[in-house]
Short mmCIF file of all heavy atoms in Angstrom, two decimals:
data_model
loop_
_atom_site.label_atom_id
_atom_site.label_comp_id
_atom_site.label_asym_id
_atom_site.label_seq_id
_atom_site.Cartn_x
_atom_site.Cartn_y
_atom_site.Cartn_z
N ASP A 234 -9.94 11.14 -44.00
CA ASP A 234 -10.02 10.25 -42.97
C ASP A 234 -11.12 10.64 -41.84
O ASP A 234 -11.87 9.79 -41.39
CB ASP A 234 -8.72 9.85 -42.36
CG ASP A 234 -7.85 8.99 -43.20
OD1 ASP A 234 -8.35 8.70 -44.26
OD2 ASP A 234 -6.85 8.58 -42.71
N TYR A 270 -12.93 -1.10 -38.23
CA TYR A 270 -12.41 -0.91 -39.58
C TYR A 270 -12.77 0.35 -40.25
O TYR A 270 -12.35 0.68 -41.35
CB TYR A 270 -12.84 -2.08 -40.44
CG TYR A 270 -12.39 -3.48 -39.96
CD1 TYR A 270 -13.36 -4.41 -39.71
CD2 TYR A 270 -11.06 -3.66 -39.69
CE1 TYR A 270 -12.95 -5.72 -39.18
CE2 TYR A 270 -10.60 -4.92 -39.27
CZ TYR A 270 -11.53 -5.84 -38.88
OH TYR A 270 -11.15 -7.15 -38.42
N GLN A 293 -21.41 15.29 -32.81
CA GLN A 293 -20.06 14.84 -33.07
C GLN A 293 -19.28 14.91 -31.71
O GLN A 293 -19.24 16.10 -31.08
CB GLN A 293 -19.34 15.60 -34.21
CG GLN A 293 -19.14 17.11 -33.94
CD GLN A 293 -17.87 17.44 -33.05
OE1 GLN A 293 -17.03 16.63 -32.97
NE2 GLN A 293 -17.82 18.63 -32.62
N ALA A 350 -8.27 8.64 -33.45
CA ALA A 350 -7.99 7.45 -32.68
C ALA A 350 -6.46 7.37 -32.37
O ALA A 350 -6.13 7.06 -31.18
CB ALA A 350 -8.35 6.14 -33.39
N GLY A 437 -11.29 -7.87 -25.20
CA GLY A 437 -11.61 -6.60 -25.73
C GLY A 437 -11.83 -6.53 -27.25
O GLY A 437 -12.87 -5.92 -27.81
N ASN A 461 11.28 7.24 -41.91
CA ASN A 461 12.57 7.51 -42.43
C ASN A 461 13.53 7.79 -41.47
O ASN A 461 13.24 8.19 -40.32
CB ASN A 461 12.47 8.87 -43.40
CG ASN A 461 13.56 8.99 -44.41
OD1 ASN A 461 14.65 9.18 -43.89
ND2 ASN A 461 13.31 8.73 -45.60
N TRP A 526 22.82 0.61 -16.95
CA TRP A 526 22.72 -0.18 -18.04
C TRP A 526 22.10 -1.56 -17.56
O TRP A 526 21.38 -2.20 -18.24
CB TRP A 526 23.98 -0.44 -18.82
CG TRP A 526 24.12 0.67 -19.84
CD1 TRP A 526 25.01 1.75 -19.90
CD2 TRP A 526 23.38 0.86 -21.01
NE1 TRP A 526 24.86 2.55 -20.97
CE2 TRP A 526 23.88 2.07 -21.67
CE3 TRP A 526 22.34 0.13 -21.71
CZ2 TRP A 526 23.25 2.54 -23.02
CZ3 TRP A 526 21.76 0.66 -22.86
CH2 TRP A 526 22.27 1.77 -23.48
N PHE A 542 11.51 -2.06 -36.32
CA PHE A 542 10.21 -2.39 -36.87
C PHE A 542 9.78 -1.10 -37.62
O PHE A 542 9.13 -1.16 -38.66
CB PHE A 542 9.18 -2.84 -35.91
CG PHE A 542 7.96 -3.33 -36.55
CD1 PHE A 542 7.83 -4.65 -36.90
CD2 PHE A 542 6.81 -2.48 -36.77
CE1 PHE A 542 6.67 -5.17 -37.48
CE2 PHE A 542 5.72 -3.01 -37.29
CZ PHE A 542 5.68 -4.34 -37.67
N PHE A 577 7.32 3.83 -33.40
CA PHE A 577 8.43 4.72 -32.76
C PHE A 577 7.90 5.50 -31.62
O PHE A 577 8.57 6.08 -30.85
CB PHE A 577 9.16 5.43 -33.67
CG PHE A 577 10.47 6.04 -33.24
CD1 PHE A 577 11.63 5.27 -33.18
CD2 PHE A 577 10.54 7.38 -32.92
CE1 PHE A 577 12.77 5.77 -32.60
CE2 PHE A 577 11.79 7.90 -32.38
CZ PHE A 577 12.88 7.12 -32.31
N VAL A 592 18.62 15.36 -16.94
CA VAL A 592 18.76 16.76 -16.71
C VAL A 592 18.30 17.09 -15.24
O VAL A 592 19.00 17.83 -14.49
CB VAL A 592 17.94 17.71 -17.73
CG1 VAL A 592 18.03 19.14 -17.38
CG2 VAL A 592 18.57 17.45 -19.12
N LEU A 610 13.11 23.00 -17.60
CA LEU A 610 12.02 22.47 -18.22
C LEU A 610 11.23 23.60 -18.90
O LEU A 610 10.63 23.47 -20.08
CB LEU A 610 11.08 21.74 -17.19
CG LEU A 610 10.13 20.62 -17.79
CD1 LEU A 610 10.92 19.65 -18.69
CD2 LEU A 610 9.45 19.89 -16.69
N LEU A 621 7.07 25.34 -32.77
CA LEU A 621 5.84 24.77 -33.30
C LEU A 621 4.69 26.02 -33.53
O LEU A 621 3.68 25.62 -33.77
CB LEU A 621 5.27 23.78 -32.36
CG LEU A 621 6.03 22.52 -32.16
CD1 LEU A 621 5.42 21.57 -31.09
CD2 LEU A 621 6.29 21.80 -33.49
N GLN A 633 -11.78 27.61 -37.05
CA GLN A 633 -12.56 28.74 -36.49
C GLN A 633 -13.94 28.75 -37.15
O GLN A 633 -14.13 28.26 -38.27
CB GLN A 633 -11.90 30.04 -36.91
CG GLN A 633 -10.47 30.28 -36.30
CD GLN A 633 -10.49 30.10 -34.78
OE1 GLN A 633 -11.24 30.69 -34.07
NE2 GLN A 633 -9.58 29.12 -34.20
N TYR A 742 -32.13 15.45 -57.96
CA TYR A 742 -31.29 16.66 -57.77
C TYR A 742 -29.84 16.32 -57.79
O TYR A 742 -29.47 15.11 -57.67
CB TYR A 742 -31.67 17.27 -56.40
CG TYR A 742 -31.28 16.61 -55.16
CD1 TYR A 742 -30.11 17.01 -54.53
CD2 TYR A 742 -31.99 15.57 -54.58
CE1 TYR A 742 -29.65 16.37 -53.33
CE2 TYR A 742 -31.51 14.91 -53.43
CZ TYR A 742 -30.42 15.29 -52.82
OH TYR A 742 -29.97 14.70 -51.64
#
Side-chain angles (χ1 to χ4, degrees):
D234 283 6
Y270 301 124
Q293 64 83 15
N461 199 288
W526 276 108
F542 191 89
F577 193 81
V592 172
L610 202 54
L621 300 176
Q633 297 305 308
Y742 74 97

